[in-house]
Amino acid sequence: MKYTFDATGKKPGRLATELAVLLMGKNRAEFAKNKIPDVQIEVMNANLMSFDQNRLRDKTYASHSGYPGSLKLPNMQELLDKKGGKEILRRAVLGMLPKNKLRPKMIKRLTINN
């Protein structure tokens, strides 16, 4: 099944919740935790999402390579400038999916366009 969403004017977290439910298949009668539903999701206009100014300044994304002193904490505004709304939405959905072997397979079924 193919779904298309327009992200214009929507908040990233609210949209990510809808997308995560569809990717996991929780909206279907035949839902099973160990199965990935046959869905394709396309999101249009990810750069036109509505971002709160306080959230842009305060929300941080941590990444660490494993080497001492390599912790990076860019805030949402820096990530938006560097990679666009596409990356913010992808990370939000990724955080809402189950942390198991099915997670990479689920996220591959999500396509986000700027």
Side-chain angles (χ1 to χ4, degrees):
M1 188 150 213
K2 185 164 174 113
Y3 296 95
T4 306
F5 287 87
D6 185 18
T8 306
K10 293 186 179 178
K11 299 282 185 183
R14 303 244 178 196
L15 182 59
T17 305
E18 291 180 50
L19 299 176
V21 166
L22 292 173
L23 286 171
M24 288 185 281
K26 288 200 165 191
N27 62 327
R28 296 171 168 242
E30 63 272 1
F31 168 71
K33 290 182 185 181
N34 62 340
K35 302 252 189 300
I36 300 174
D38 186 27
V39 295
Q40 288 295 109
I41 300 177
E42 185 176 3
V43 180
M44 310 299 285
N45 303 322
N47 283 338
L48 301 177
M49 286 188 292
S50 172
F51 297 103
D52 184 31
Q53 294 304 313
N54 290 338
R55 175 62 60 125
L56 285 172
R57 184 188 64 232
D58 297 339
K59 170 110 177 107
T60 58
Y61 296 92
S63 65
H64 197 286
S65 69
Y67 287 97
S70 68
L71 179 65
K72 294 177 185 168
L73 293 168
N75 63 16
M76 188 184 270
Q77 182 65 53
E78 293 168 3
L79 193 66
L80 185 64
D81 294 340
K82 187 174 181 182
K83 296 190 177 183
K86 179 179 179 175
E87 182 65 16
I88 290 174
L89 185 60
R90 189 190 71 80
R91 287 188 185 199
V93 172
L94 201 62
M96 294 179 188
L97 293 177
K99 282 71 173 175
N100 58 26
K101 291 180 181 181
L102 299 178
R103 187 184 195 191
K105 294 175 184 175
M106 286 180 189
I107 201 71
K108 281 182 184 175
R109 297 174 182 266
L110 176 65
T111 314
I112 305 171
N113 300 323
N114 283 335

